[in-house]
């Protein structure tokens, strides 16, 4: 098959050197260095000590004072370079290690500039330093430092985050790169990317604005030529990236497919149908990877909603092609309603949204509300002019400093966060229209997710509890409240909550448990995945308690995890089924008895062996007798290692039902396990040994004699009244070999 090779010239990345910045005055350089040293000390204290430690208060106080001295003439800006830091565009006359360290920390988090406004206090600095103490990879996974600061911080500090890969790409010429890649993709039939071209394309699709530009250019190139050509080019891009990453970075494949899923949201309904039609064809395969299936499965809710809204806007309504594509992308009815609600907002903001009956024809739902009826034009003008009046008040000098400070505190970082929080809660309380209430609840779920990303769990729990309480007050709100809570559970909460549960007080834990149970069984699978990878004992105990609290409904949800590709999840599911107790779902454990992962096997074996019911024992014995060879020996070995009192019913069942000669080592281990419990073995254990004492094999008299002696010795070791009575009965009425074994043990009493 012909291949079109795309290569990017590395010389295009060469740039001219930057001009030398001016030098700071000695006084300004000294204050700058003092600020950097105070920042370094505060960062160390914040990372090492709990929030109430006196070292944190002292170090943050020094940092706030150093900030005030730099703020004498107003806000200042730090420009970050690799290994260097500029103050308002000027550099210190001599290098300073503290400045270099601070520059390195900011540079790792891709901070290009940091503006410090008047009013940056100790609380603001602590919030930022806590974010900087996290790993850059974790911060970027949560949306980047700038987004996290938008949630956690406030106007006292302004962060400019730079995508340095984007800068390099722009220097080599973005338009030229797009032109080269699309020309090769359209030339087909197969695209071969060299490392530089693949990296350029990966960086390009990683930026939403540039990805939009790529898709717009592709649309322009194939205008009027039908969906097949566009689909073929899109497939070429997918296969080229997948083949490159399969060789150079398999761990990046998932992220790439998610980004291309976002790009697929810009396809028309015709294009999407044509793309979906290739899912079962050879051209959808890149090695062993079905690139079409991998991309469409990773399309986010926002991408699917964008696709639906774009098609409705372009066509002025829904078409058969759109319905066909939407049903293929989203077969679940509940998710269909959620995504159509997202698409409704985008359609209502477009030109076609002026038609009041449009959305009723598309989905049967009213359009989103507008706040025009709540905010008058006069009030809007007052809001617009409020900033100018605030500046005038600040410039007035007849107010004492204490009064000015109290006014400024009302617009500080913490105060503004509190106002945002209260506003959301109030809106949830006063809104009476169910559909508008749904929109507010969804907004709150998104904000709560952002709060979790920055570690503000208490505030996030408050918002989630407000949704629960207000949703319960009106039957029409309840499905919307559940949908909002499920959205919250699908976000960042589960990724961060395990670490939170390690140190959270009981009150915080109880609130989180209430939120999980309010979400319903949708929370079971993500909770089980968190439990499967958590190592802290306290956090694991709390997660187990939450999962067990779901009861029968939780058992049904856990059963669906038995075939999870992650063995740790399968192991957790087996453990949870064991802890749920009862006989429901026992058959789902049987396939795990031969799982390739030993720890999964052990949990499944214990789940059946410790269940205590005849149904569980029968399933386990059937598995033993139907397996052969290595599988049977492995299962028997796992059973022989159990030394738990809860396994007595199974071992007693085994002694009554199993042929002693089929698995003699397991039979002997069952006798030994029961005997080891001593007087606490119980009546059921004695009954099992008494039944086993009567088993005999006339063709193996020696083996039968030794086994009966072992069983009689086990009864004597148990020593309970029931065990001694069983020996006496056997000594009086049993066959000759049984009488001999029983009398031998009774003689020693």
């Amino acid at each position: 098959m012909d291949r079109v090779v795309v290569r990017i010239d590395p010389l295009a990345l060469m740039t001219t050197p930057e001009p030398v910045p001016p030098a700071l005055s000695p006084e300004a350089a000294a204050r700058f260095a003092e600020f950097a040293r105070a920042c370094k000390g505060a960062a160390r204290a914040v990372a090492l000590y709990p929030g109430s430690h006196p070292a944190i208060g002292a170090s943050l106080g020094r940092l706030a004072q150093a900030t005030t001295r730099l703020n004498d003439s107003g806000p200042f800006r730090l420009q970050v370079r690799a290994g260097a830091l500029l103050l308002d565009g000027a550099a210190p006359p001599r290098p300073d290690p503290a400045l270099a360290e601070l520059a390195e920390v900011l540079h790792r988090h891709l901070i290009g500039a940091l503006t410090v406004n008047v009013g940056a206090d100790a609380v603001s600095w602590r919030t930022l330093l806590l974010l900087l103490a996290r790993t850059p990879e974790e911060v970027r996974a949560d949306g980047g430092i700038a987004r996290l600061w938008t949630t956690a911080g406030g106007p006292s500090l302004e962060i400019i985050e730079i995508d340095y890969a984007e800068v390099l790409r722009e220097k080599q010429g973005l338009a030229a790169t797009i032109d080269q890649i699309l020309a090769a993709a359209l030339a087909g039939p197969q695209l071969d990317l060299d490392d530089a071209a693949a990296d350029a394309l990966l960086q390009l699709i990683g930026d939403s604005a540039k990805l939009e530009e790529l898709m717009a250019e592709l649309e322009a190139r194939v205008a009027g030529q039908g969906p097949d050509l566009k689909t073929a080019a899109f497939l070429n891009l997918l296969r080229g990236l997948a083949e490159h990453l399969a060789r150079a970075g398999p761990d990046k494949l998932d992220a790439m497919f998610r980004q291309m899923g976002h790009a697929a949201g810009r396809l028309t309904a015709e294009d999407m149908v044509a793309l979906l039609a290739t899912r079962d064809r050879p051209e959808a395969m890149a090695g062993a990877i079905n690139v079409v299936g991998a991309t469409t499965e990773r399309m986010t809710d926002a991408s699917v909603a964008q696709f639906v809204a774009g098609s409705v806007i372009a066509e002025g309504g829904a078409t058969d092609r759109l319905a066909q594509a939407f049903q293929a992308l989203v077969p679940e009815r509940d998710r269909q309603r959620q995504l159509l609600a997202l698409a409704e907002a985008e359609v209502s903001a477009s030109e076609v949204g002026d038609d009041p009956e449009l959305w009723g024809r598309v989905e049967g739902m009213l359009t989103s509300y507008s706040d025009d009826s709540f905010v008058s034009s006069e009030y809007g003008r007052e809001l617009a002019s409020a900033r100018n009046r605030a500046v005038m008040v600040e410039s007035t000098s007849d107010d004492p400093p204490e009064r000015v400070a109290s006014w400024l505190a009302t617009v500080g970082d913490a105060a503004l966060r509190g106002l945002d929080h209260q506003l959301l809660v109030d809106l949830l309380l006063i809104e009476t229209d169910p559909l508008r209430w749904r929109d507010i609840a969804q907004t709150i779920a998104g904000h709560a997710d952002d709060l979790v990303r920055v570690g503000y769990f208490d505030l996030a729990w408050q918002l989630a509890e407000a949704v629960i309480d207000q949703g319960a007050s009106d039957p029409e709100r309840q499905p919307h409240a559940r949908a909002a809570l499920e959205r919250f559970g699908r976000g960042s909460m589960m990724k961060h909550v395990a670490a939170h549960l390690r140190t959270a007080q009981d009150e915080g834990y109880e609130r989180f448990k209430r939120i999980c149970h309010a979400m319903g069984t949708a929370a079971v699978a993500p909770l089980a995945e968190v439990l499967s990878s958590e190592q802290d004992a306290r956090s694991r105990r709390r997660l187990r308690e939450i999962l067990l609290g779901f009861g029968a409904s939780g058992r049904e949800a856990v059963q669906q995890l038995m075939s999870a590709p992650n063995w740790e999840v399968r192991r957790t599911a087996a453990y949870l089924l064991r802890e749920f107790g009862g006989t429901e779902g026992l058959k789902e454990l049987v396939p795990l008895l031969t799982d390739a992962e030993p720890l999964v096997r052990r949990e499944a074996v214990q789940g059946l062996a410790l269940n205590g019911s005849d149904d569980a024992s029968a399933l386990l014995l059937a598995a033993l007798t139907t397996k052969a060879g290595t599988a049977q020996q492995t299962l028997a070995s796992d059973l022989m290692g159990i030394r738990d009192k809860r396994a007595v019913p199974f071992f007693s069942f085994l002694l009554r039902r199993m042929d002693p000669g089929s698995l003699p080592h397991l039979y002997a281990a069952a006798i030994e396990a029961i005997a080891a419990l001593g007087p606490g073995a119980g009546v059921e254990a004695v009954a099992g040994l008494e039944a086993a004492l009567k088993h005999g094999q006339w063709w193996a008299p020696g083996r039968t004699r030794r086994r009966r002696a072992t069983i009689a010795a086990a009864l004597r070791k148990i020593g309970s009244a029931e065990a001694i009575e069983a020996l006496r009965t056997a000594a009086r009425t049993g066959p000759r070999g049984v009488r001999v074994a029983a009398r031998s043990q009774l003689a020693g009493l």
Side-chain angles (χ1 to χ4, degrees):
M1 182 180 291
D2 296 333
R3 305 176 73 91
V4 179
V5 181
V6 181
R7 295 187 175 88
I8 301 296
D9 184 7
L11 294 177
L13 299 176
M14 298 178 61
T15 61
T16 57
E18 296 184 0
V20 178
L24 287 169
S25 67
E27 295 79 8
R31 290 196 299 268
F32 194 23
E34 177 193 11
F35 165 80
R37 286 190 287 271
C39 196
K40 175 183 175 182
R44 184 183 299 110
V46 164
L48 294 178
Y49 301 114
S52 58
H53 197 280
I56 291 182
S59 59
L60 288 174
R62 287 192 293 271
L63 177 56
Q65 292 173 5
T67 304
T68 302
R69 283 190 280 273
L70 279 178
N71 270 140
D72 282 344
S73 57
F76 63 88
R77 168 174 283 204
L78 307 180
Q79 286 97 1
V80 183
R81 303 291 184 268
L85 209 58
L86 306 182
L87 176 62
D88 291 328
R94 292 188 302 275
D96 187 284
L99 289 170
E101 275 191 50
L102 179 57
E104 177 61 26
V105 171
L106 298 177
H107 190 267
R108 280 204 308 269
H109 285 280
L110 305 182
I111 295 178
L114 176 66
T115 301
V116 183
N117 297 311
V118 177
D121 56 12
V123 176
S124 303
W125 281 114
R126 181 173 184 270
T127 304
L128 178 61
L129 293 175
L130 282 172
L131 293 177
L132 294 177
R134 294 163 63 175
T135 64
E137 294 76 19
E138 181 185 355
V139 170
R140 284 195 283 274
D142 280 335
I145 190 72
R147 176 181 174 182
L148 294 183
W149 177 254
T150 301
T151 300
S156 62
L157 301 172
E158 300 174 17
I159 295 175
I160 295 179
E161 185 177 4
I162 296 179
D163 184 349
Y164 290 99
E166 170 66 15
V167 172
L168 288 176
R169 185 166 64 251
E170 288 181 353
K171 288 180 179 178
Q172 76 175 22
L174 176 64
T177 303
I178 291 177
D179 184 77
Q180 286 180 269
I181 291 172
L182 289 184
L186 290 166
Q190 192 162 348
L191 184 68
D192 190 4
L193 301 170
D194 69 355
D195 290 346
D199 290 341
L201 181 55
L202 285 170
Q203 293 167 7
L204 190 147
I205 67 173
D207 183 281
S208 57
K210 304 307 179 186
L211 183 57
E212 294 280 337
E213 188 173 342
L214 173 69
M215 295 303 294
E217 179 64 22
L218 177 59
E219 182 71 33
R221 293 277 188 110
V222 299
Q225 301 184 54
D228 291 341
L229 182 59
K230 186 175 180 180
T231 301
F234 192 80
L235 265 178
N236 268 342
L237 294 176
L238 280 175
R239 284 198 304 267
L241 287 172
E243 290 172 355
H244 171 76
L245 290 179
R247 299 189 305 268
D251 57 321
K252 299 178 182 178
L253 276 168
D254 185 74
M256 183 273 291
F257 284 127
R258 291 184 186 278
Q259 291 159 352
M260 293 302 286
H262 178 68
R266 279 190 54 91
L267 296 175
T268 66
E270 292 280 346
D271 298 332
M272 184 63 74
V273 170
L275 181 65
L276 292 172
T278 64
R279 278 192 294 190
D280 300 324
R281 298 176 186 172
E283 56 262 38
M285 303 301 296
I289 303 172
N290 188 313
V291 295
V292 176
T295 300
T296 55
E297 288 168 4
R298 288 167 175 80
M299 288 184 70
T300 64
D301 290 358
S303 299
V304 178
Q306 180 189 26
F307 162 69
V308 174
S311 180
V312 171
I313 293 170
E315 300 292 338
T319 63
D320 292 340
R321 286 296 197 182
L322 175 61
Q324 179 183 350
F326 184 63
Q327 290 291 332
L329 289 172
V330 190
E332 307 89 359
R333 297 298 298 272
D334 289 341
R335 187 169 175 237
Q336 287 177 5
R337 290 194 294 270
Q338 296 170 11
L339 296 186
L340 288 175
L342 294 176
E344 179 192 3
E346 187 171 343
V347 172
S348 64
S350 67
E351 294 179 358
V352 300
D354 294 334
D355 182 358
E357 298 179 359
L358 171 65
W359 200 252
R361 295 193 299 269
V362 174
E363 195 266 347
M365 186 182 298
L366 298 177
T367 58
S368 297
Y369 74 96
S370 171
D371 63 359
D372 290 343
S373 59
F374 301 100
V375 180
S376 65
S377 57
E378 181 181 356
Y379 184 58
R381 288 194 297 271
E382 290 292 326
L383 290 176
S385 62
R387 179 178 179 183
N388 293 332
R389 288 205 293 274
V391 173
M392 291 169 60
V393 170
E394 187 177 329
S395 63
T396 303
S397 59
D398 58 351
D399 290 306
E402 297 81 9
R403 185 179 300 167
V404 174
S406 65
W407 288 341
L408 290 175
T410 63
V411 291
D413 295 346
L416 291 178
R417 283 199 304 273
L419 290 173
D420 286 344
H421 183 87
Q422 191 59 51
L423 175 63
L424 289 172
V425 174
D426 289 344
L427 288 173
L428 202 65
L429 178 65
I430 65 177
E431 182 56 67
T432 57
D433 182 81
L435 295 180
R436 293 173 179 171
W437 191 92
R438 174 206 63 196
D439 296 337
I440 297 171
Q442 291 289 343
T443 300
I444 286 178
H447 187 60
D449 184 56
D450 288 339
L451 290 171
V452 165
R453 294 173 189 268
V454 297
Y456 290 168
F457 290 96
D458 288 339
L459 292 176
W461 300 161
Q462 289 176 19
L463 291 177
E465 286 176 326
V467 173
I468 295 171
D469 295 337
Q470 294 302 317
S473 65
D474 186 343
E476 293 188 34
R477 293 178 176 179
Q478 290 177 5
H480 303 317
R482 176 64 65 86
L485 291 170
E486 288 180 359
R487 176 187 173 185
F488 181 38
R490 292 194 302 268
S492 302
M493 179 178 66
M494 295 303 179
K495 183 173 70 172
H496 296 287
V497 78
H500 171 66
L501 292 178
R502 298 169 194 166
T503 57
Q505 299 297 322
D506 289 342
E507 179 186 0
Y509 158 65
E510 292 295 336
R511 295 170 71 186
F512 173 66
K513 179 166 70 172
R514 181 194 177 201
I515 293 167
C516 288
H517 288 162
M519 290 178 191
T521 54
V524 171
L527 281 170
E529 291 182 9
V530 174
L531 177 59
S532 68
S533 58
E534 178 59 22
Q535 301 298 322
D536 181 79
R538 189 185 194 202
S539 183
R540 286 181 61 84
R541 174 177 57 80
R542 288 177 161 180
L543 289 167
R544 285 197 300 266
E545 289 175 357
I546 293 172
L547 283 164
L548 294 177
F550 282 97
S553 59
R555 182 188 295 111
E556 294 174 2
V558 166
Q559 290 173 10
Q560 301 174 9
L561 303 177
M562 291 298 186
S563 57
N566 186 336
W567 70 266
E568 292 180 325
V569 175
R570 299 198 303 275
R571 177 192 179 191
T572 301
Y575 166 80
L576 290 171
L577 278 182
R578 184 183 81 189
E579 293 299 311
F580 278 127
T583 58
E584 297 86 351
L586 292 177
K587 291 183 179 179
E588 278 72 15
L589 288 172
V590 174
L592 299 185
L593 295 174
T594 55
D595 196 278
E597 173 55 48
L599 294 178
V600 177
R601 269 200 325 269
R602 187 179 68 180
E603 289 292 350
V605 167
Q606 291 183 349
L608 291 171
L610 306 184
N611 182 269
S613 67
D614 284 352
D615 290 340
S617 299
L619 286 173
L620 194 48
L621 185 58
L624 271 169
T625 54
T626 55
K627 304 297 179 187
T630 304
Q632 186 186 61
Q633 293 301 321
T634 301
L635 182 55
S637 177
D638 290 336
L639 286 167
M640 285 189 286
I642 296 178
R643 290 294 183 270
D644 192 308
K645 185 177 180 179
R646 291 175 295 175
V648 166
F650 165 70
F651 286 132
S652 178
F653 185 92
L654 184 146
L655 293 177
R656 295 195 307 268
R657 303 291 182 87
M658 193 175 80
D659 179 9
S662 59
L663 288 169
H665 295 297
L666 177 59
Y667 201 88
I671 297 171
E672 181 184 348
I674 292 176
L677 296 175
V683 177
E684 189 172 9
V686 172
L689 290 173
E690 189 175 12
L693 189 61
K694 299 174 183 179
H695 289 169
Q697 296 172 313
W698 60 266
W699 62 89
R703 193 160 54 237
T704 298
R705 183 172 60 254
R706 289 191 296 272
R707 184 171 59 252
R708 284 172 171 169
T710 301
I711 295 171
L715 286 168
R716 180 187 172 186
K717 186 175 181 180
I718 291 174
S720 64
E722 294 82 4
I724 299 304
E725 181 59 30
L727 283 173
R728 288 172 177 164
T729 301
R732 291 194 308 269
T733 63
R736 181 175 179 279
V738 173
R739 295 198 305 272
V740 170
R743 289 169 181 171
S744 173
Q745 295 300 322
L746 288 171
L749 292 176

